Amino acid sequence: MIEIDNVHKSFGELDVIKGVSLRVNKGEVVSIIGGSGSGKSTLLMCINGLESIKSGSIRVDGTEVHAPGTDINKLRQKIGIVFQQWNAFPHLTVLENVMLAPRKVLGRSKQDAEEMAVKQLTHVGLADKLKVFPGKLSGGQQQRMAIARALAMSPDYMLFDEATSALDPQLVGEVLDTMRLLAEEGMTMVLVTHEIRFARDVSDRVAFFRNGLVHEIGTPDQVIGNPQKPETIDFLKSIN
Amino acid sequence: MFDYTFHWRAAYKALPDMLAGAWVTFETAALSMVFGVIIALLLTLMRQGRNPVLRGFAATWISIARNTPSLFQIYILYFGLGSFGLHVSSWFALLAGITFNNAGYLAENFRGGLKAVPDTQLRAARSLGMSAAQAYRLIVVPQLLRIVFYPLTNQMVWAVLMTSLGVIVGLNNDLTGVTQDYNVKTFRTFEFFALAAVLYYLIAKAIVAVARILSWRLFRY
């Protein structure tokens, strides 16, 4: 379970998160929607400690993410994240990209790591690209590789930071399909997304962020199908 | 008006000695690169760090190394330290001088290379649970190596050519030193220095060729 409690975060003078509380239960898929600058991506980065917080607390399975004594590397092993700009490691092949962390972080044998990597890459439909360097892949393929790379660590949680925003429109579908598959398999997921229809389909709950706060939260049918607050209605209108 | 007769025989006879000198030249340059790279890495770290003394030290080193003649750098290390009672051999002064110069230039290259590896690579590596040290070793440094590889090759060639400055502090067993000895004895300046120039040229070309082969093997992407 991810428990976010009254979190504040600022970049210098700029307050980006102003007291967000959110709970994500095991097996739940929560989507975060909202305009740019609303703090949704930053919150995601705070969950696995890639960004620090100013006050409040974030706990993952009861472990305080931002406490000084926390072994953050250990904690990150169970929180996979997929970035908007996929961030493939260009000097490693697709297979090596996915094998690296299980070998070096989890200490798996080469054979075990390779087996796991091939399994995950097959899962995302890249079984025929094992020996290829990421530079030769399309954006969609690189993003699916990034998903496989995160999954190879056998995480309990997956965070998606606008995973399809940087992709050409015709490549969005393949990445969303991969994410949908993951949701159906019961992975606990937090998605920051602009794909409203997708969010409505796969999410258990949807949170609308505005000015660094959770403005409206509920089931997809409530927040997207029948929003109550005028700002939510405006936002949904603006992106349709 | 042109009554000089070439005497190549004398130069050919000196060839074995000159080749031995060329080896000393190459060795000195290679050693200065090994130390240069290590010091350059340290300087790069110092400059990235928080300690203002170390930052200032690194900035000063890089600035002096890149903005004064390498001839002076070697000269000062030999005669300058000598006047304080610190006597070092000609060869050591040369090696130290070139190393000082290499480290300054390479540190600047490394800094540029680090900037060229996006922060997001580090972030992605850390997100997979890697420690900062692992992320640098496995993700950042391999990419950095490729970016600085050709500047590194250039500096190696430059180091070979800089060793010829050893003659001004009395070095007599490197390629220039040996050549100068023969020149003084025979006054066949053109023949000996032309031959030496050919040898320098071949060493430099060989370094570039080896670097090219190495880069094919190292950088697969």
Side-chain angles (χ1 to χ4, degrees):
Chain A
M1 186 164 59
I2 302 173
E3 297 158 283
I4 300 168
D5 227 359
N6 197 23
V7 164
H8 290 255
K9 160 85 188 169
S10 56
F11 290 113
E13 294 286 286
L14 184 72
D15 295 323
V16 283
I17 300 174
K18 303 168 186 167
V20 166
S21 298
L22 183 68
R23 183 159 297 201
V24 181
N25 293 310
K26 258 277 140 84
E28 208 180 12
V29 177
V30 175
S31 290
I32 301 175
I33 60 173
S36 47
S38 60
K40 51 197 188 337
S41 287
T42 307
L43 182 70
L44 219 54
M45 297 300 154
C46 293
I47 293 177
N48 72 352
L50 286 174
E51 290 286 355
S52 61
I53 59 175
K54 197 162 111 189
S55 63
S57 93
I58 299 177
R59 282 189 301 278
V60 175
D61 292 343
T63 306
E64 198 71 62
V65 178
H66 296 273
T70 301
D71 184 349
I72 192 72
N73 297 330
K74 184 110 189 155
L75 193 66
R76 282 178 183 146
Q77 291 169 19
K78 58 178 174 187
I79 311 172
I81 184 164
V82 176
F83 301 92
Q84 184 177 346
Q85 290 293 349
W86 47 84
N87 299 340
F89 303 137
H91 60 301
L92 302 174
T93 63
V94 167
L95 184 64
E96 289 164 343
N97 257 273
V98 180
M99 280 173 66
L100 186 67
R103 285 204 68 193
K104 301 294 178 178
V105 177
L106 300 179
R108 297 262 188 279
S109 71
K110 192 175 176 205
Q111 204 178 357
D112 282 359
E114 184 165 343
E115 214 168 278
M116 175 58 129
V118 170
K119 186 181 127 194
Q120 293 301 346
L121 284 165
T122 308
H123 200 81
V124 300
L126 290 175
D128 57 335
K129 303 283 185 198
L130 301 180
K131 303 281 179 215
V132 173
F133 284 93
K136 295 257 184 281
L137 298 180
S138 72
Q141 289 169 327
Q142 290 198 49
Q143 190 60 299
R144 283 187 279 141
M145 186 205 79
I147 295 173
R149 188 171 70 183
L151 289 175
M153 295 293 285
S154 312
D156 297 327
Y157 303 91
M158 283 289 284
L159 314 176
F160 290 86
D161 180 21
E162 302 190 26
T164 58
S165 296
L167 296 175
D168 293 338
Q170 71 271 23
L171 302 175
V172 168
E174 60 186 80
V175 173
L176 290 184
D177 287 343
T178 306
M179 290 163 67
R180 190 189 308 268
L181 200 63
L182 210 54
E184 282 164 5
E185 288 166 358
M187 176 63 79
T188 310
M189 290 162 59
V190 183
L191 325 168
V192 168
T193 184
H194 291 297
E195 300 286 337
I196 299 299
R197 197 185 301 161
F198 177 73
R200 189 170 184 173
D201 279 358
V202 301
S203 310
D204 298 302
R205 279 187 302 148
V206 174
F208 171 63
F209 266 47
R210 186 165 182 278
N211 289 336
L213 287 165
V214 178
H215 200 64
E216 191 167 354
I217 186 165
T219 64
D221 285 341
Q222 285 169 345
V223 177
I224 298 172
N226 186 23
Q228 297 303 309
K229 303 218 172 162
E231 292 82 5
T232 317
I233 297 169
D234 282 350
F235 172 75
L236 289 170
K237 255 192 212 146
S238 73
I239 56 171
N240 271 335
Chain B
M1 76 186 219
F2 188 74
D3 55 0
Y4 185 80
T5 325
F6 290 111
H7 281 78
W8 291 106
R9 279 266 294 285
Y12 286 138
K13 260 198 260 171
L15 193 58
D17 285 348
M18 289 174 78
L19 283 174
W23 181 246
V24 173
T25 287
F26 177 77
E27 249 179 359
T28 311
L31 218 53
S32 78
M33 280 301 283
V34 172
F35 292 131
V37 166
I38 294 168
I39 297 171
L41 285 171
L42 293 175
L43 291 176
T44 309
L45 285 178
M46 286 183 202
R47 213 150 56 149
Q48 305 264 320
R50 296 221 179 89
N51 187 324
V53 177
L54 292 180
R55 263 210 322 262
F57 172 79
T60 309
W61 181 315
I62 294 162
S63 182
I64 293 176
R66 296 177 70 232
N67 295 296
T68 57
S70 37
L71 179 85
F72 292 13
Q73 294 164 9
I74 297 160
Y75 215 70
I76 287 171
L77 276 166
Y78 188 69
F79 294 109
L81 291 183
S83 50
F84 289 104
L86 252 164
H87 296 286
V88 294
S89 73
S90 310
W91 182 77
F92 185 86
L94 175 68
L95 177 65
I98 305 174
T99 301
F100 175 78
N101 191 284
N102 283 345
Y105 275 93
L106 291 173
E108 196 65 9
N109 284 326
F110 290 171
R111 187 172 74 137
L114 267 183
K115 275 204 184 129
V117 179
D119 282 348
T120 48
Q121 287 284 311
L122 192 60
R123 194 167 255 240
R126 296 303 305 273
S127 82
L128 290 165
M130 288 184 211
S131 65
Q134 279 180 319
Y136 271 99
R137 187 163 54 82
L138 300 167
I139 304 302
V140 178
V141 172
Q143 294 181 54
L144 176 68
L145 187 64
R146 176 175 175 155
I147 297 165
V148 301
F149 190 77
Y150 287 104
L152 217 61
T153 310
N154 276 341
Q155 191 67 33
M156 175 66 193
V157 170
W158 186 230
V160 167
L161 302 184
M162 275 194 293
T163 57
S164 64
L165 297 172
V167 76
I168 59 143
V169 289
L171 187 67
N172 59 8
N173 65 345
D174 74 319
L175 180 49
T176 302
V178 172
T179 310
Q180 175 67 358
D181 272 0
Y182 275 104
N183 174 43
V184 172
K185 277 184 235 155
T186 63
F187 293 104
R188 291 287 160 200
T189 308
F190 183 85
E191 289 87 338
F192 284 112
F193 277 94
L195 186 59
V198 168
L199 292 179
Y200 275 113
Y201 184 87
L202 291 178
I203 296 172
K205 281 290 169 189
I207 289 165
V208 173
V210 169
R212 186 156 295 169
I213 292 166
L214 216 62
S215 76
W216 283 336
R217 300 226 33 141
L218 280 174
F219 310 123
R220 306 165 296 160
Y221 61 102

